[in-house]
Amino acid sequence: MKYPEITLRRGKEQSLQRLHPWVFSGAVAHIPDSLEEGDIVDVITCDGRKIATGHYQIGSITIRILSWEDTEINDAFYRKRLEAAYGLRQALRLVTRRGRFFARTRNRRLWRYGGPSGPFARHAFCERHHSSTIDSTA
């Protein structure tokens, strides 16, 4: 899938080659005028090579990497990531057979965007602190 392209400054692809999940604003050479916050973008090196696909944001962290592969970012992409995250929690025995999370602590995070293996584009997270739940997609 081809998305709008954001071009990096020379040498700024090095952190991405080490699989760093963010592109900072200072690393960006060119952003298309038509981009809106929240758009999915391809990250391009200064010599024209695609290096990753990510989520564009206005701010110091300009791109949050979603995939290092040429992957379409759609509902199936997010569903697969959520299922993998839930499967890991099952393997670690952090959920019961009924699918509920064990209450080993009073605070627990169900999910959060955390780089290339994170499930959500807008670093969505849901946390439970004591008896209140925080759900955010900002």
Side-chain angles (χ1 to χ4, degrees), residues 19-86:
L19 303 181
H20 191 279
W22 301 337
V23 175
F24 293 98
S25 58
V28 174
H30 174 72
I31 298 174
D33 292 333
S34 61
L35 273 188
E36 294 183 19
E37 191 162 19
D39 284 350
I40 303 298
V41 297
D42 285 335
V43 182
I44 307 298
T45 63
C46 64
D47 60 358
R49 293 179 296 115
K50 178 181 173 182
I51 195 167
T53 301
H55 167 257
Y56 170 71
Q57 276 185 274
I58 298 169
S60 62
I61 301 174
T62 302
I63 305 167
R64 295 173 190 270
I65 302 301
L66 295 171
S67 178
W68 304 103
E69 301 168 3
D70 193 16
T71 305
E72 184 175 0
I73 309 300
N74 56 21
D75 288 346
F77 172 85
Y78 294 112
R79 187 176 304 111
K80 180 179 175 183
R81 294 288 177 96
L82 275 174
E83 288 171 354
Y86 187 74

